[in-house]
């Protein structure tokens, strides 16, 4: 008995069977019944094109449009392979950015971590706040404020130094000028504040003070306070000049002196009223060296060849930062 084909069940005669004309005709009739004509195919195509297939939705099956956008929000289109790839790549890049940001603030992170792990680390990061600036924080220490992190402080703890002492002497008849270094501003200090500080009564004691005393001098005498840089350039802080009268004393007091190397500022307040806290009474030379050590010098000048006695009183404090 012959076997049959899978689809149309047409007989396949065995080798020991004979095939009759009737059998062949039956086979062709079955083939003719199962094959559609060109006209029938066109009719089917037309019918399909005219079918009212609804659009697919989240709850209903139907036809759907493809889209390669990665930034859309429609729910009636389907993403293409390209769109999925672009979205995946964007996710990889954003993850790398988050990891880099965490590492930059000292939080260890890796792109191999899950988003849940990275999100947990981000949630534990504390945003820097405050209004401290480098000048408020000790030099070399790092800190953060609402403008940034890993900022370095520049503040130097003030150091208070006494500059007390008395020096007496005389200028003989052949000497017209005399100068003496009272104290030196160290090169390591940016800001210096010098002021008189004495327990003695009277304003003249609460200052750095130089004086001339002699019962014979009757000529012009001038007392000076100078600031002198390491190249020897002088900036006169204060001076006082008189024609001497016997049995009188001449004093010049310096109450305060403030030096700011960075701002190239040198302010003072003297006993003659020449200085103030907003500007010196005359201009500091442009070439005055604020970067090196600065000497504060007391000087005397007399116009006649007559000996005089002098005294220098250092009764003050120097605060340096």
């Amino acid at each position: 008995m012959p076997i049959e084909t899978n689809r149309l069940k047409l007989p396949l005669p065995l080798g020991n069977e004979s095939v009759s004309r009737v059998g062949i005709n039956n086979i062709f009739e079955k083939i003719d019944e199962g094959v559609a004509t060109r006209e029938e195919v066109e009719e089917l195509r037309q019918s399909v094109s005219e079918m009212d297939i609804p659009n697919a939705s989240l709850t209903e099956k139907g036809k759907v449009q493809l889209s390669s956008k990665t930034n859309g929000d429609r729910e009636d289109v389907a993403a293409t392979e390209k769109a999925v790839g672009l979205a995946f790549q964007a996710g990889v890049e954003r993850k790398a950015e988050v990891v880099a940001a965490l590492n930059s603030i000292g939080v260890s992170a890796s792109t191999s971590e899950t988003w849940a792990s990275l999100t947990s680390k981000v949630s534990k990061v504390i945003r820097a706040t405050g209004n401290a600036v480098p000048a408020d924080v000790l030099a070399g220490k790092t800190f953060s404020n609402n403008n940034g992190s890993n900022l370095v402080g520049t503040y130097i703890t003030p150091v208070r130094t006494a500059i007390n002492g008395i020096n007496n002497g005389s200028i003989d008849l052949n000497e017209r000028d005399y100068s003496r270094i009272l104290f030196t501003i160290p090169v390591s200090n940016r800001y210096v504040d010098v002021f008189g500080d004495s327990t003695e009564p009277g304003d003249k004691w609460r200052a750095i003070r130089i004086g001339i005393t002699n019962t014979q001098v009757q000529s012009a005498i001038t007392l000076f306070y100078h600031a002198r840089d390491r190249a020897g350039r002088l900036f006169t802080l204060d001076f006082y000049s008189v024609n001497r009268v016997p049995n009188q004393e001449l004093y010049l007091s310096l109450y305060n002196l403030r030096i700011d190397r960075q701002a190239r500022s040198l302010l003072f307040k003297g006993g003659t009223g020449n200085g103030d806290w907003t500007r010196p009474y005359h201009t500091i030379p442009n070439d005055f060296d604020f970067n090196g050590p600065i000497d504060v010098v007391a000087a005397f000048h007399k116009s006649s060849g007559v000996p005089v006695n002098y005294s220098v009183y250092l009764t003050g404090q120097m605060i340096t930062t």
Side-chain angles (χ1 to χ4, degrees):
M1 184 174 181
I3 59 177
E4 296 178 338
T5 60
N6 293 330
R7 295 181 62 194
L8 299 180
K9 304 301 181 183
L10 301 178
L12 298 174
L14 301 176
N16 59 355
E17 292 180 329
S18 59
V19 180
S20 63
R21 181 171 57 82
V22 175
I24 293 175
N25 289 341
N26 290 336
I27 291 173
F28 281 111
E29 287 178 355
K30 279 192 174 184
I31 292 174
D32 187 68
E33 292 175 358
V35 177
T37 64
R38 183 183 296 276
E39 290 78 8
E40 290 173 335
V41 172
E42 289 299 327
E43 288 179 4
L44 179 61
R45 182 179 291 111
Q46 183 65 29
S47 297
V48 170
S49 65
E50 294 176 354
M51 291 177 63
D52 185 16
I53 302 175
N55 293 329
S57 68
L58 296 176
T59 58
E60 298 292 337
K61 298 178 181 180
K63 60 184 179 180
V64 66
Q65 180 183 353
L66 300 178
S67 174
S68 292
K69 288 185 176 181
T70 59
N71 60 348
D73 57 2
R74 295 173 57 185
E75 293 187 330
D76 57 353
V77 295
T80 63
E81 182 179 293
K82 178 181 179 181
V84 174
L86 291 174
F88 177 80
Q89 182 60 32
V92 170
E93 293 173 356
R94 299 296 84 75
K95 191 175 190 180
E97 291 171 356
V98 171
V99 168
L102 287 171
N103 287 327
S104 70
I105 59 175
V107 179
S108 177
S110 170
T111 54
S112 62
E113 295 183 60
T114 64
W115 273 109
S117 174
L118 295 176
T119 301
S120 175
K121 291 182 177 182
V122 170
S123 66
K124 296 177 182 178
V125 174
I126 300 175
R127 182 179 182 273
T129 59
N131 58 2
V133 296
D136 299 326
V137 180
L138 285 176
K141 300 295 184 179
T142 58
F143 70 102
S144 301
N145 59 23
N146 53 9
N147 292 319
S149 58
N150 292 325
L151 305 176
V152 180
T154 60
Y155 176 75
I156 301 174
T157 304
V159 176
R160 183 184 294 264
T161 305
I163 51 174
N164 297 326
I166 298 177
N167 182 267
N168 299 311
S170 63
I171 306 173
D172 65 30
L173 58 85
N174 295 317
E175 289 181 299
R176 297 294 181 91
D177 296 283
Y178 171 85
S179 65
R180 171 183 173 82
I181 297 175
L182 301 180
F183 51 88
T184 299
I185 308 301
V187 69
S188 60
N189 300 117
R190 175 210 161 172
Y191 185 83
V192 179
D193 190 356
V194 178
F195 57 92
D197 181 18
S198 173
T199 59
E200 298 290 337
D203 287 341
K204 71 178 183 180
W205 289 101
R206 289 189 288 273
I208 298 163
R209 189 166 61 98
I210 56 178
I212 293 289
T213 60
N214 194 283
T215 60
Q216 300 178 11
V217 175
Q218 298 187 47
S219 64
I221 295 181
T222 305
L223 281 67
F224 299 91
Y225 281 119
H226 299 302
R228 184 173 65 190
D229 68 10
R230 57 184 167 184
R233 287 179 286 257
L234 295 177
F235 169 67
T236 301
L237 299 171
D238 204 359
F239 70 95
Y240 186 39
S241 180
V242 297
N243 285 319
R244 295 298 298 136
V245 177
N247 301 318
Q248 286 189 348
E249 295 181 348
L250 174 63
Y251 289 101
L252 180 61
S253 298
L254 183 64
Y255 294 110
N256 292 93
L257 172 63
R258 293 178 181 175
I259 297 176
D260 188 334
R261 295 182 185 275
Q262 183 172 320
R264 293 184 55 83
S265 169
L266 197 158
L267 307 177
F268 70 94
K269 187 173 183 180
T272 64
N274 284 326
D276 58 42
W277 291 127
T278 59
R279 61 179 178 82
Y281 77 100
H282 62 285
T283 305
I284 301 173
N286 291 330
D287 59 352
F288 192 87
D289 185 2
F290 275 89
N291 297 319
I294 299 174
D295 296 327
V296 176
V297 178
F300 319 112
H301 172 79
K302 60 186 178 68
S303 60
S304 65
V306 178
V308 297
N309 298 324
Y310 70 86
S311 61
V312 178
Y313 297 90
L314 302 179
T315 56
Q317 299 269 344
M318 179 166 59
I319 298 178
T320 57
T321 56

